[in-house]
Amino acid sequence: MSDAHNTSVSIATDEPTRSGTGGATGITEDTISTPPPFPDRARKTVVRPGDRIFGSLASGSAVLISVIIGAIAVFLVWRAVPALQRNQVNFLTSRDWITQDITDMAFGVLDLFQVTVLVSFFALFLAMPVALGIAIFLTSYCPDRLRKPLAYVIDLLAAVPSIVYGLWGMLVLAPFLRPVAEWLNTTLAWFPLFATGSGSIVGGGTIFTAGIVLAVMILPTIAAVSREVFVQTPTAHIEGALALGATRWEVVRTTVIPFGKSGYISGSMLGLGRALGETMALYLILRTTSQAFSWSLFDGGATIASKIALGYAEFNNDIQAGAYIAAGLVLFVLTFVVNAAARMIVAGKKD
C-alpha cells in the first residue's frame, strides 16, 4: 500500500526519479530529451526575394544619387579650370566681372556671393515666422471645414512659376512698397541694412523688393513641411497637457512646437535652398550696378544664379562659359554647406 501510494504521488507531482536504476516510474536520464535552450537561433534567417530586391533597389538608388552628385561636381570643376587659369584677379575676392576678352579675363564672385547670401537670408527671415504661424493655425486653431481648403490654397503658391512672381514683384509689389522703403531709408539710414545703397528705391529694383518676393515664394514650402510635422504630434501628449489644465496656446508651446522643431528647421532649410538658387524672379527684379556692394537692402546687383542667366549670350565660347560655371561651382558648394549646417542643427535639437 505504501509503495503504490508513493508511486502515485511521484506521477501526480510530475517529478520523475532520475536515479540510474529508473526509480518507481522507470524513467532514466537517458530517456529524457531536453529541448535546445534557444531554438530560434538554430534556424537560419530566411530572406524573401521581395526583401532582397527592395534592399538592392534602395541601395542602388542611394549609390546612383551619390554618383550623379559627384559627376556634377567633377563637370563643374573640369569646365571651370580653363577659365580660372586665365583669370587675372583673385576669383574669390574680386568684384570685377570682365569676360569679353578671353586673353585678358578678370572676374570675381565676391559681390555675387554677398548679394546671394543677403537676399536669401532676408527672405528666410521674413518667411520663417509667417510659415510657423500658418502651420500652427492650420493644425491647432483652424476649423475643420476650412483646414483643407486653406492648406490647398497655400500649397498652390508653390505651383506659381517664378517668372510670374518676378513680373508681379516688378510691376505691382515694387510701387506698393516704395513708401515703406523710403520711410525705412529716411528713418533708419544710420543702420547699415537700411542705408542708401546702389539701387534705386523709386524703381524698386533692390534687394528689399527681391527679398520680399522671394519670401512669398519659399513660404509654402516651409509651411507645408511644418504643417505635416506638427500634425504628427502624439495625441497622448496633447491630451495630457489639456488634462493638466493647459490652454490651447500652452499646448502648442509645450507639445506641438517642441515635437515639430526639427521638421520646422528642415523645411526652412529647404526654402533657403530654393532661395539660393532662384533665377528668373531675381533676374527680372534686381537692377545691375557697377557700384560696390555695401550690405544694404537698398543695393542693386545680381545673385550668382541671375548673373549666370544674364550671361547666357557668352555661353557659345567654352572659356567664357567657364567663368560662369566657376560661379555656379561656388553656389554648388554653398548649398552643400547650408544643408550640412541644417543637419547639424536638427541633430542637436533631437536631444
Side-chain angles (χ1 to χ4, degrees):
M1 292 293 292
S2 61
D3 292 341
H5 176 72
N6 293 337
T7 303
S8 62
V9 171
S10 176
I11 295 175
T13 56
D14 196 21
E15 294 180 0
T17 303
R18 297 180 180 270
S19 61
T21 59
T25 59
I27 301 177
T28 63
E29 292 182 353
D30 297 332
T31 60
I32 299 175
S33 60
T34 305
F38 302 102
D40 293 337
R41 294 185 181 180
R43 301 176 182 175
K44 290 185 177 180
T45 302
V46 178
V47 180
R48 297 180 179 180
D51 293 338
R52 187 180 294 110
I53 294 173
F54 179 79
S56 300
L57 290 175
S59 302
S61 300
V63 172
L64 178 62
I65 292 298
S66 302
V67 169
I68 291 175
I69 294 175
I72 293 174
V74 170
F75 165 78
L76 293 174
V77 173
W78 172 55
R79 294 296 301 271
V81 167
L84 292 174
Q85 290 175 341
R86 295 171 180 258
N87 194 9
Q88 304 298 320
V89 296
N90 190 299
F91 174 68
L92 296 177
T93 60
S94 175
R95 302 176 183 271
D96 300 325
W97 194 272
I98 304 172
T99 57
Q100 290 77 16
D101 185 2
I102 62 175
T103 61
D104 188 23
M105 301 179 71
F107 58 93
V109 77
L110 180 60
D111 273 357
L112 302 178
F113 178 82
Q114 291 175 338
V115 173
T116 301
V117 170
L118 180 58
V119 72
S120 300
F121 278 91
F122 177 58
L124 188 68
F125 174 78
L126 296 177
M128 283 185 67
V130 178
L132 178 62
I134 291 173
I136 291 174
F137 174 75
L138 291 177
T139 55
S140 302
Y141 290 91
C142 184
D144 293 338
R145 65 179 182 277
L146 296 178
R147 183 174 289 116
K148 288 186 178 179
L150 287 178
Y152 180 70
V153 170
I154 294 171
D155 291 342
L156 279 179
L157 291 175
V160 178
S162 60
I163 193 169
V164 175
Y165 278 113
L167 292 172
W168 170 72
M170 179 178 61
L171 301 176
V172 178
L173 188 62
F176 178 78
L177 292 176
R178 177 180 171 182
V180 178
E182 290 177 342
W183 181 85
L184 289 172
N185 180 238
T186 303
T187 308
L188 302 175
W190 54 270
F191 190 65
L193 280 178
F194 301 106
T196 301
S198 60
S200 172
I201 296 179
V202 176
T206 61
I207 293 175
F208 181 72
T209 305
I212 294 176
V213 173
L214 205 54
V216 176
M217 295 179 66
I218 67 177
L219 181 63
T221 300
I222 304 175
V225 174
S226 302
R227 184 183 72 246
E228 293 299 325
V229 176
F230 288 166
V231 80
Q232 302 298 325
T233 305
T235 306
H237 294 182
I238 298 175
E239 293 178 347
L242 292 173
L244 292 174
T247 63
R248 183 176 297 184
W249 164 241
E250 289 173 338
V251 170
V252 171
R253 183 171 56 86
T254 58
T255 61
V256 176
I257 293 179
F259 178 82
K261 187 180 296 184
S262 61
Y264 172 61
I265 295 175
S266 299
S268 301
M269 293 304 103
L270 286 176
L272 179 60
R274 180 180 180 182
L276 290 171
E278 178 54 40
T279 304
M280 291 309 301
L282 302 183
Y283 173 84
L284 293 175
I285 295 173
L286 285 175
R287 297 291 181 267
T288 57
T289 177
S290 58
Q291 299 182 31
F293 181 71
S294 61
W295 286 96
S296 170
L297 291 176
F298 303 116
D299 275 330
T303 63
I304 295 176
S306 64
K307 184 66 175 180
I308 295 173
L310 285 167
Y312 71 94
E314 302 179 26
F315 290 176
N316 56 351
N317 183 285
D318 290 343
I319 302 299
Q320 291 176 315
Y324 294 93
I325 292 175
L329 179 61
V330 173
L331 183 60
F332 185 79
V333 174
L334 177 61
T335 305
F336 265 91
V337 171
V338 168
N339 288 334
R343 286 187 173 274
M344 292 176 61
I345 294 173
V346 172
K349 295 294 183 182
K350 288 181 179 180
D351 295 334

